[in-house]
Amino acid sequence: MSKNSLKYSVFLKTIFSLTLLGIIIYNIKILELKEDFIGFRPLILIIPFSLIFLIRIIQYALNYYILGLVLKIKLSFREWVKSVFFCWSVGYVSFGKVAEFGVLYDLKRKGVPIAKSGAIFLLDKIITLISLLALFPLAVIFLFRDKMIIIITPLGLGVLILMLFCLKNENIRNWIRNRIMGKYQEHFSGFYRFLIELIKCKIAIVFNAFNTILRLLSYGLTSFILLKGFGEDISLLAITGVNIINQVVTMIPISIANLGVQEAWYIIALKQYGVTAETALSFSITGRGISLLLISLFVPYFTLSLRLKRRK
């Protein structure tokens, strides 16, 4: 993608996010939104929310670390955590795939070839996508009951079968590889060999899939805790289903950091459980706010550690 295309894409995403947020704010009652924020009980919930948030980042790093062991990458688990946390923090408030590509750059700086880190990154994303697609039909069926069973079940199974077929077919794999790497293939020398080596390690893949599913489900737990702070009594299973669908919806690259899209989905989904649009918006904004607060507390530490390393 050229620089002009990238700028145009960012501009369109920004306009879309701001427009969607504007429509949402226009259709809510500001006074009720203010009352929701005033009535929120943060002190009771901030500790469990923060712990789950940090554990989720450790899970990201653990997936990369285990796959890294397969490729004999001599990097401590602590270094993986630092790379993932710092880059993921930057990506949280930015656009596109800054977090993922930031991890690749940081690992290269630490002596890990891009071919190896790229293979790890791609396989982890494939496992995450398959896990999401496996959970998505279950979430839709639970939330919408028998209304969507006829449509979603065959659709979800069809997508899963298609993905597995693409992974098995060598011609399709080569086409995907060429499309992803494009003119930068020389920087990814050995990438395909490392990816095949990872795929052959079944234990690492099973562990990654299990850990990924736990991580995806943990979003429901943090949302459940947060909604309790707003006085909403929604079952853990229900809000987990809402979050699974949210993660699939926000994968569509049409906004900046999912701004607007996530808020719109929460308003639509939580409405059927009696949650007002004002509370749903307050809930989404608060979740973003606490996450940014936690990130801001750790960024100075990582920045300082990077500067000290450069001086050495």
Side-chain angles (χ1 to χ4, degrees), residues 2-17:
S2 65
K3 289 184 178 180
N4 288 333
S5 298
L6 180 61
K7 289 179 181 179
Y8 186 64
S9 174
V10 172
F11 174 74
L12 289 178
K13 288 179 181 179
T14 304
I15 294 297
F16 180 80
S17 292

Side-chain angles (χ1 to χ4, degrees), residues 10 65 108 120 178 189 214 262:
V10 172
Y65 175 69
K108 182 184 177 183
I120 291 170
N178 294 331
S189 178
L214 289 179
Q262 176 176 287

Side-chain angles (χ1 to χ4, degrees), residues 61-250:
L62 187 58
N63 277 350
Y64 291 138
Y65 175 69
I66 296 297
L67 294 175
L69 290 178
V70 177
L71 297 182
K72 298 179 176 59
I73 295 176
K74 296 179 180 179
L75 204 63
S76 68
F77 178 63
R78 183 183 175 186
E79 288 299 317
W80 282 100
V81 172
K82 287 169 68 175
S83 291
V84 171
F85 188 90
F86 184 73
C87 299
W88 189 81
S89 300
V90 174
Y92 192 83
V93 293
S94 61
F95 57 86
K97 296 296 178 183
V98 172
E100 290 87 347
F101 287 111
V103 172
L104 297 184
Y105 173 79
D106 192 55
L107 290 174
K108 182 184 177 183
R109 190 179 57 81
K110 293 175 180 178
V112 180
I114 289 182
K116 286 188 175 183
S117 57
I120 291 170
F121 156 72
L122 181 60
L123 182 60
D124 182 74
K125 286 300 168 188
I126 290 172
I127 292 172
T128 300
L129 184 58
I130 291 174
S131 301
L132 263 179
L133 290 174
L135 293 170
F136 180 69
L138 299 176
V140 173
I141 290 168
F142 177 80
L143 291 178
F144 301 102
R145 305 300 177 182
D146 54 345
K147 298 175 186 176
M148 300 294 289
I149 291 178
I150 298 175
I151 300 173
I152 293 298
T153 303
L155 182 62
L157 290 173
V159 172
L160 279 173
I161 292 169
L162 180 62
M163 285 191 65
L164 292 173
F165 172 76
C166 290
L167 290 174
K168 284 284 185 180
N169 190 288
E170 187 176 354
N171 292 329
I172 295 176
R173 289 203 307 265
N174 290 335
W175 181 82
I176 293 172
R177 179 188 61 186
N178 294 331
R179 290 290 296 176
I180 290 173
M181 293 187 289
K183 61 181 180 180
Y184 301 103
Q185 290 198 42
E186 67 273 11
H187 299 291
F188 287 84
S189 178
F191 168 83
Y192 189 64
R193 176 169 55 85
F194 292 132
L195 183 60
I196 295 300
E197 189 176 337
L198 287 173
I199 292 172
K200 287 179 179 178
C201 186
K202 305 302 180 186
I203 296 175
I205 291 177
V206 170
F207 176 85
N208 188 299
F210 178 74
N211 191 39
T212 298
I213 290 172
L214 289 179
R215 175 170 55 80
L216 294 173
L217 294 176
S218 73
Y219 285 93
L221 186 56
T222 50
S223 294
F224 176 78
I225 292 169
L226 209 56
L227 281 170
K228 284 290 183 184
F230 286 102
E232 297 294 340
D233 190 19
I234 299 177
S235 72
L236 177 58
L237 198 57
I239 193 60
T240 300
V242 169
N243 272 279
I244 291 297
I245 298 175
N246 175 62
Q247 290 174 73
V248 175
V249 170
T250 52

Side-chain angles (χ1 to χ4, degrees), residues 9-25 94-95 252-264 288:
S9 174
V10 172
F11 174 74
L12 289 178
K13 288 179 181 179
T14 304
I15 294 297
F16 180 80
S17 292
L18 294 176
T19 302
L20 194 54
L21 276 177
I23 293 171
I24 291 170
I25 294 171
S94 61
F95 57 86
I252 305 170
I254 56 175
S255 62
I256 300 294
N258 305 321
L259 195 61
V261 176
Q262 176 176 287
E263 285 71 22
R288 287 182 184 274

